[in-house]
Amino acid sequence: MSMKSAPAKGPRGGGPGMWHGGFGVVAKPNNFKSSLKRLIKEIQSDGRKIYLVLTLLVISVVTGLIGPKIIGHATNLIIYGFIGSKLPAGIPKAQLILRAHNSFGAFANIINSPDVIPGSGVNFSKVFHYLLIVGILYILSSLLSWWQLYTMAGITQRTVFRLRLKCEEKISKVPLSYFDTGSRGDILSRVTNDLDNLGMSIQQSFSQTLNSLLTVLVILGIMFWISPYLALISLIAIPLSVIISIRIGKRSQKEFGAQWSWIGKLNGHIEEMLTGHSLVRVFGHRQKALADFNELNESVYKTSFKAQFISGIIQPATTLITNAIYVLIAVVGGWFVVNGSITIGDVQAFIQYSRQFSFPLAQLAGLVNTIQSGVASAERVFEFLDAPEEVIDQPKAQITRAKGEVVFDQVSFRYKEDIPLIENLNLKVKPGQTIAIVGPTGAGKTTLVNLMMRFYELNSGKILIDGIDAKDLSRDQLRKQFGMVLQDTWLFTGTMAENIAFGADNPSRAQIEEAAKAANIDHFLRSLPEGYDSLLTDDSAAISNGERQLLTIARAFIADPPILILDEATSSVDTRTEVLVQKAMARLRQGRTSFVIAHRLSTIVDADVILVMNNGSLIEQGSHQELMAKHGFYYDLYEAQFASALE
């Protein structure tokens, strides 16, 4: 299924609208907490997998962060063993041994390295032993991280799969009024773009957020364990970086908003010029179109430059703060080494942890956009899933194939409670009759058809099919009695034969060809290179509007319904094709009850009964001759069309 996207109006989590460590412009959910809780419940359907992800995440982070501490002890082995200096007085060897055995047991011996003997020379065997352990830990951390990401990808796709399935089921449950009152493009965007964005956001934000938070906590713990004073110095970077990010971020938000506004205008201009390319050239507006494009493109360039430049200041500004903190840590740490309260290896490890500490903080800031975008998409999807549904069927009767008798008994309907549309409509249609429905735009012609098929429920009265109240039949069983040929021809991507076969369950090739012959489209299909197997797309320009209409008539033939609805089926075809369509529809109507909605009154003069509607009321009823003899509303309509045709 193809979809034309509307011009972009703003970034949706990512792209130019985001920057590392900042606060980009994203769609914010109206109710963040409730939408996030509901999304988490959806994810929790994979409960065991979630626990596995958390376990792998914890082990992966911890094993990956032990490395710098062990490397620091390897550094102590080299420096203190080579230069013969004494260990710092503040951390005697006995204390190291005691801490090793009391805190972590045998594994802590590796972390705390109680075997440094000053002046004994460098024990390279022990150094390589430490480096080997670090290498194994890093490899283990990477493998566990890969396993965790693989598992999380499965959780994400299963969550999106379940939501997509719910959306597909929801489409068949919401009433027609939901689509009439809302933008179909917006609905389509919810079940496609928003679900895709949601999946991407879950994949990126869930594991990365937990990873960053856990990394920050573990690093903080190790940093305070190594030196509480140096840890406090490192924490100075956090509020400074946040303040800078917020202040610059507010300015960049305005620029990003302007950027995406101009991008939307540029996309709209390009779409208009491409759609009407031929007319632009015919009327000689190519230079003006190019000038307008250059003006819009220049505006996009200027606003994009400002947005990217301002947002780009954040990273070097926070990097400057971080580097200043590194210098301060190095100076204070060196003083502590000289003072004998910390080892050189621990200072080295602390600097490594300090560098690692800044990355998850920046990552968390950047994930704010992704999380907001994902929750906003989730909220839109949940709004669709919470939309009111059709009243659940409670069938009290069954019907296999209707004879075609339709009775409207005191039918009243209104879209809005205070604005009546159809009031106390009474009508009896005999099997096999052709009923034409005419009237000005908004008279209620299409509404009458929708009420028959229960796309809308009556406010009062009854519609009887062969004497059975339509409400006593299931919607599926009721709608199987109808076949429709509409003004807007709907065809899908597939072969010509598949489009015709859509009207029946597994029809044979012979039935498809017979339906095409009845619809006067067989000759055209056989003239195509692939015949009935020629590929057709929903917006294909390879066939004319008339040929598309004949395909939909063939589809109605193969469905073989007892009741037909023909809604302005010839309004968009030429005169020659109209003759073919009229012949096909006349053949299709034989032996069936037919409701024909028409604006061209010349096409329905042979109808058994003509219903004239205005403002939702049935104001006239009868044959063409009877209505013309009355010199009423129908007479005026017919004479107006006839006069305009002569002109």
Side-chain angles (χ1 to χ4, degrees):
M1 180 180 293
S2 64
M3 183 186 72
K4 294 181 179 179
S5 59
K9 295 184 179 179
R12 294 295 306 274
M18 284 180 62
W19 33 262
H20 185 70
F23 303 86
V25 182
V26 296
K28 296 184 179 180
N30 294 322
N31 198 329
F32 182 87
K33 289 184 179 180
S34 62
S35 298
L36 181 60
K37 287 180 181 179
R38 187 168 175 180
L39 178 59
I40 291 174
K41 287 183 180 179
E42 292 288 343
I43 299 174
Q44 284 178 338
S45 298
D46 288 289
R48 293 183 179 180
K49 295 288 185 180
I50 293 293
Y51 293 134
L52 175 61
V53 167
L54 294 176
T55 302
L56 293 173
L57 186 63
V58 170
I59 299 175
S60 173
V61 170
V62 172
T63 53
L65 292 177
I66 292 175
K69 190 72 170 72
I70 299 176
I71 292 175
H73 294 307
T75 301
N76 286 336
L77 277 174
I78 295 174
I79 293 177
Y80 292 108
F82 180 74
I83 65 177
S85 299
K86 294 182 180 181
L87 284 170
I91 309 179
K93 185 175 179 182
Q95 181 181 339
L96 291 173
I97 297 175
L98 182 63
R99 185 195 300 177
H101 286 284
N102 290 343
S103 303
F104 298 99
F107 185 69
N109 286 325
I110 298 173
I111 301 177
N112 288 314
S113 182
D115 50 3
V116 179
I117 303 175
S120 63
V122 179
N123 187 346
F124 286 104
S125 175
K126 197 67 176 177
V127 170
F128 290 137
H129 174 68
Y130 282 147
L131 295 180
L132 178 62
I133 292 174
V134 171
I136 293 173
L137 288 175
Y138 283 158
I139 292 173
L140 177 61
S141 177
S142 298
L143 291 174
L144 292 176
S145 179
W146 173 84
W147 189 3
Q148 173 256 319
L149 290 173
Y150 177 83
T151 306
M152 192 63 215
I155 293 172
T156 300
Q157 295 308 314
R158 281 190 294 272
T159 301
V160 174
F161 173 82
R162 287 191 297 269
L163 288 173
R164 187 176 288 116
L165 189 62
K166 289 180 180 179
C167 288
E168 178 64 25
E169 294 174 349
K170 185 71 177 184
I171 289 175
S172 62
K173 294 179 180 179
V174 294
L176 185 64
S177 58
Y178 182 83
F179 298 100
D180 290 342
T181 56
S183 167
R184 299 195 180 191
D186 179 69
I187 297 170
L188 184 60
S189 180
R190 290 173 190 253
V191 299
T192 53
N193 297 341
D194 281 304
L195 277 176
D196 290 340
N197 181 53
L198 177 59
M200 182 182 67
S201 300
I202 295 174
Q203 180 67 29
Q204 290 181 355
S205 61
F206 183 80
S207 57
Q208 286 185 12
T209 300
L210 293 177
N211 188 299
S212 298
L213 286 173
L214 186 60
T215 300
V216 168
L217 293 176
V218 172
I219 289 178
L220 269 178
I222 296 176
M223 288 169 69
F224 273 99
W225 179 35
I226 294 174
S227 173
Y229 301 107
L230 293 180
L232 290 174
I233 293 174
S234 298
L235 292 179
I236 296 174
I238 297 177
L240 290 178
S241 297
V242 170
I243 290 172
I244 289 177
S245 296
I246 291 176
R247 291 181 68 87
I248 300 178
K250 288 181 178 179
R251 175 69 185 276
S252 65
Q253 282 182 1
K254 297 179 182 179
E255 299 300 334
F256 275 120
Q259 171 195 339
W260 284 99
S261 175
W262 282 112
I263 288 176
K265 294 176 183 178
L266 179 63
N267 288 343
H269 173 77
I270 293 173
E271 184 178 1
E272 288 176 357
M273 294 305 103
L274 287 177
T275 303
H277 179 67
S278 299
L279 291 176
V280 171
R281 303 194 68 170
V282 166
F283 289 101
H285 283 283
R286 186 169 178 272
Q287 292 302 321
K288 184 179 184 303
L290 185 60
D292 291 341
F293 172 83
N294 289 334
E295 183 179 347
L296 291 169
N297 196 30
E298 181 72 17
S299 298
V300 171
Y301 165 75
K302 290 180 179 178
T303 54
S304 298
F305 177 81
K306 288 182 181 179
Q308 297 295 336
F309 174 76
I310 294 174
S311 65
I313 295 175
I314 292 179
Q315 187 169 359
T318 53
T319 301
L320 178 63
I321 293 174
T322 304
N323 288 334
I325 296 298
Y326 293 155
V327 173
L328 188 58
I329 289 173
V331 172
V332 177
W335 183 78
F336 283 164
V337 170
V338 174
N339 193 40
S341 59
I342 194 173
T343 67
I344 295 176
D346 279 344
V347 173
Q348 173 194 322
F350 194 95
I351 292 176
Q352 285 184 273
Y353 284 124
S354 182
R355 286 190 174 276
Q356 290 181 340
F357 182 69
S358 61
F359 177 75
L361 289 176
Q363 193 175 45
L364 283 172
L367 286 172
V368 170
N369 282 336
T370 304
I371 294 172
Q372 282 190 336
S373 176
V375 175
S377 289
E379 185 176 62
R380 283 168 50 80
V381 173
F382 293 146
E383 283 177 355
F384 174 65
L385 294 178
D386 293 338
E389 299 181 359
E390 288 183 320
V391 179
I392 299 176
D393 277 330
Q394 295 180 343
K396 301 176 183 178
Q398 290 186 347
I399 188 171
T400 304
R401 181 179 176 83
K403 296 177 182 178
E405 182 185 79
V406 181
V407 176
F408 288 76
D409 182 12
Q410 295 291 314
V411 169
S412 295
F413 174 76
R414 55 185 66 187
Y415 290 108
K416 297 181 179 179
E417 292 185 4
D418 56 338
I419 304 177
L421 180 61
I422 296 177
E423 291 291 319
N424 301 321
L425 175 62
N426 292 285
L427 174 68
K428 184 173 183 180
V429 180
K430 297 178 181 178
Q433 280 190 322
T434 296
I435 309 299
I437 309 173
V438 301
T441 301
K445 302 185 296 296
T446 303
T447 301
L448 202 64
V449 170
N450 288 335
L451 291 176
M452 275 194 294
M453 302 182 69
R454 287 188 65 192
F455 287 130
Y456 293 93
E457 298 294 341
L458 304 177
N459 294 118
S460 63
K462 295 180 181 179
I463 296 179
L464 307 175
I465 309 294
D466 288 358
I468 302 173
D469 193 337
K471 288 185 177 180
D472 292 337
L473 298 170
S474 68
R475 289 186 180 87
D476 288 340
Q477 197 172 61
L478 172 66
R479 291 166 187 170
K480 284 181 179 179
Q481 310 305 316
F482 293 86
M484 300 185 74
V485 179
L486 305 177
Q487 176 181 354
D488 297 325
T489 56
W490 177 77
L491 300 172
F492 57 88
T493 300
T495 65
M496 302 288 184
E498 288 171 343
N499 273 276
I500 296 174
F502 188 80
D505 294 330
N506 299 318
S508 65
R509 185 59 172 242
Q511 290 175 306
I512 294 173
E513 293 177 358
E514 188 64 30
K517 291 177 183 177
N520 293 325
I521 193 68
D522 175 72
H523 175 73
F524 167 74
L525 295 179
R526 293 187 185 278
S527 67
L528 298 174
E530 301 297 328
Y532 279 78
D533 295 320
S534 298
L535 188 64
L536 174 70
T537 59
D538 59 348
D539 57 350
S540 176
I543 63 174
S544 67
N545 288 334
E547 289 156 351
R548 295 171 71 90
Q549 194 65 270
L550 291 174
L551 279 174
T552 63
I553 294 175
R555 180 192 295 165
F557 263 113
I558 206 168
D560 190 26
I563 305 174
L564 272 175
I565 295 172
L566 307 174
D567 188 354
E568 277 299 313
T570 62
S571 62
S572 59
V573 299
D574 59 85
T575 305
R576 180 179 175 278
T577 307
E578 181 179 353
V579 174
L580 293 176
V581 174
Q582 289 287 5
K583 288 181 178 179
M585 289 196 300
R587 192 178 295 117
L588 181 61
R589 291 199 305 266
Q590 291 177 2
R592 296 182 174 90
T593 302
S594 303
F595 291 86
V596 182
I597 300 175
H599 288 291
R600 295 185 189 178
L601 302 185
S602 60
T603 63
I604 47 91
V605 294
D606 295 328
D608 296 306
V609 179
I610 298 175
L611 306 179
V612 184
M613 299 190 69
N614 190 29
N615 296 325
S617 300
L618 180 60
I619 59 175
E620 292 179 356
Q621 178 178 342
S623 66
H624 172 72
Q625 291 76 13
E626 292 172 345
L627 293 175
M628 290 297 290
K630 290 181 179 180
H631 288 263
F633 193 83
Y634 177 82
Y635 177 85
D636 293 337
L637 284 176
Y638 189 84
E639 286 296 314
Q641 286 195 7
F642 184 74
S644 62
L646 290 178
E647 292 175 359

Coordinates of all heavy atoms in Angstrom, one line a residue, residues 10 22 35 38 60 86 113 139 223 245 356 363 430 487 528 531 538 564 574 601-602 607 611 621:
G10 N 7.9 19.0 11.6 CA 8.8 19.0 12.8 C 9.4 17.6 12.9 O 8.9 16.6 12.5
G22 N 21.6 17.2 23.9 CA 20.7 18.3 24.0 C 19.3 18.0 24.1 O 18.9 16.9 24.4
S35 N 0.6 7.3 29.3 CA 1.0 6.7 28.1 C 2.2 5.8 28.3 O 2.3 4.7 27.8 CB 1.3 7.7 27.0 OG 0.1 8.5 26.7
R38 N 1.2 2.6 30.2 CA 0.5 1.7 29.3 C 1.5 1.0 28.3 O 1.4 -0.2 28.0 CB -0.6 2.4 28.5 CG -1.5 1.5 27.7 CD -2.7 2.2 27.2 NE -3.5 1.4 26.3 CZ -4.6 1.8 25.8 NH1 -5.1 3.1 26.0 NH2 -5.3 1.0 25.0
S60 N 26.7 -7.3 32.1 CA 27.5 -6.7 31.1 C 28.2 -5.4 31.6 O 29.4 -5.1 31.3 CB 26.7 -6.4 29.8 OG 27.4 -5.7 28.9
K86 N 57.6 3.6 48.1 CA 56.7 2.9 49.0 C 55.2 3.2 48.6 O 54.9 4.2 48.0 CB 56.9 3.5 50.4 CG 58.3 3.1 51.0 CD 58.4 3.6 52.4 CE 59.8 3.3 53.0 NZ 59.9 3.8 54.4
S113 N 44.6 -5.7 44.3 CA 46.1 -5.9 44.0 C 46.9 -5.8 45.3 O 47.7 -4.8 45.4 CB 46.5 -5.0 42.9 OG 47.9 -5.2 42.7
I139 N 35.7 -8.8 26.7 CA 35.0 -9.7 25.7 C 33.7 -10.3 26.2 O 32.7 -10.3 25.5 CB 36.0 -10.9 25.3 CG1 37.2 -10.4 24.5 CG2 35.2 -12.0 24.5 CD1 38.3 -11.4 24.3
M223 N 33.9 5.4 41.8 CA 34.7 6.6 42.0 C 34.7 7.0 43.5 O 35.7 7.5 44.0 CB 34.0 7.7 41.2 CG 34.3 7.6 39.7 SD 33.3 8.6 38.7 CE 34.0 10.2 39.0
S245 N 23.2 23.1 28.7 CA 22.3 22.4 27.7 C 21.0 23.0 27.7 O 20.4 23.2 26.6 CB 22.2 20.9 28.1 OG 23.5 20.3 28.0
Q356 N 34.5 8.0 31.3 CA 33.3 7.2 31.0 C 32.1 7.7 31.6 O 31.0 7.5 31.1 CB 33.6 5.8 31.5 CG 34.7 5.0 30.7 CD 34.9 3.6 31.3 OE1 34.6 3.3 32.4 NE2 35.5 2.7 30.5
Q363 N 24.4 10.8 26.9 CA 23.4 9.8 26.3 C 22.0 9.9 26.9 O 21.0 9.9 26.1 CB 24.0 8.4 26.4 CG 23.3 7.4 25.5 CD 23.9 6.0 25.6 OE1 24.2 5.5 26.7 NE2 24.2 5.4 24.5
K430 N -39.7 -3.3 -4.0 CA -40.0 -4.7 -4.3 C -38.7 -5.4 -4.9 O -37.9 -4.7 -5.5 CB -41.1 -4.8 -5.3 CG -42.5 -4.3 -4.8 CD -43.5 -4.3 -5.8 CE -44.9 -3.7 -5.3 NZ -45.9 -3.8 -6.3
Q487 N -18.4 5.7 -7.3 CA -17.8 6.7 -8.2 C -16.3 6.7 -8.1 O -15.6 6.7 -9.1 CB -18.3 8.1 -7.8 CG -17.6 9.2 -8.6 CD -18.2 10.6 -8.1 OE1 -19.1 10.7 -7.3 NE2 -17.6 11.7 -8.7
L528 N -3.8 -6.8 -23.3 CA -2.7 -6.4 -22.6 C -1.6 -7.4 -22.7 O -1.8 -8.6 -23.0 CB -3.0 -6.3 -21.1 CG -4.1 -5.2 -20.7 CD1 -4.4 -5.3 -19.2 CD2 -3.5 -3.8 -21.0
G531 N -2.2 -10.1 -20.3 CA -3.6 -10.5 -20.3 C -4.1 -10.2 -18.9 O -3.9 -9.2 -18.3
D538 N -2.6 0.7 -7.4 CA -3.8 1.4 -7.0 C -3.9 2.8 -7.7 O -4.9 3.4 -7.8 CB -3.8 1.6 -5.5 CG -2.5 2.3 -5.0 OD1 -1.6 2.4 -5.7 OD2 -2.5 2.7 -3.8
L564 N -28.0 -4.3 -5.2 CA -26.9 -3.5 -5.8 C -27.0 -2.1 -5.4 O -28.1 -1.6 -5.2 CB -26.9 -3.6 -7.3 CG -26.2 -4.7 -8.0 CD1 -26.4 -4.6 -9.5 CD2 -24.7 -4.7 -7.8
D574 N -15.8 9.2 -20.3 CA -16.2 9.9 -21.5 C -17.5 9.2 -22.0 O -18.0 8.2 -21.5 CB -15.1 9.7 -22.5 CG -14.8 8.3 -22.8 OD1 -15.5 7.7 -23.7 OD2 -13.9 7.8 -22.2
L601 N -29.4 13.0 -14.5 CA -30.8 12.5 -14.5 C -31.1 11.8 -15.7 O -32.0 10.9 -15.7 CB -31.8 13.7 -14.2 CG -31.6 14.5 -13.0 CD1 -32.7 15.5 -12.8 CD2 -31.5 13.6 -11.7
S602 N -30.4 12.0 -16.8 CA -30.7 11.3 -18.1 C -30.3 9.8 -18.0 O -30.8 9.0 -18.8 CB -29.8 11.9 -19.2 OG -28.5 11.9 -18.9
A607 N -35.7 4.1 -14.5 CA -35.8 3.5 -13.2 C -37.3 3.2 -12.9 O -38.2 4.0 -13.3 CB -35.2 4.4 -12.1
L611 N -36.6 8.4 -6.3 CA -36.8 9.0 -5.0 C -36.1 10.4 -5.1 O -34.9 10.5 -5.4 CB -36.2 8.2 -3.9 CG -36.6 6.8 -3.7 CD1 -35.9 6.1 -2.5 CD2 -38.1 6.7 -3.5
Q621 N -41.8 11.1 -5.1 CA -41.5 9.7 -5.4 C -42.4 9.3 -6.6 O -43.6 9.6 -6.7 CB -41.9 8.8 -4.2 CG -41.7 7.3 -4.4 CD -42.1 6.6 -3.1 OE1 -42.0 7.2 -2.0 NE2 -42.3 5.3 -3.2

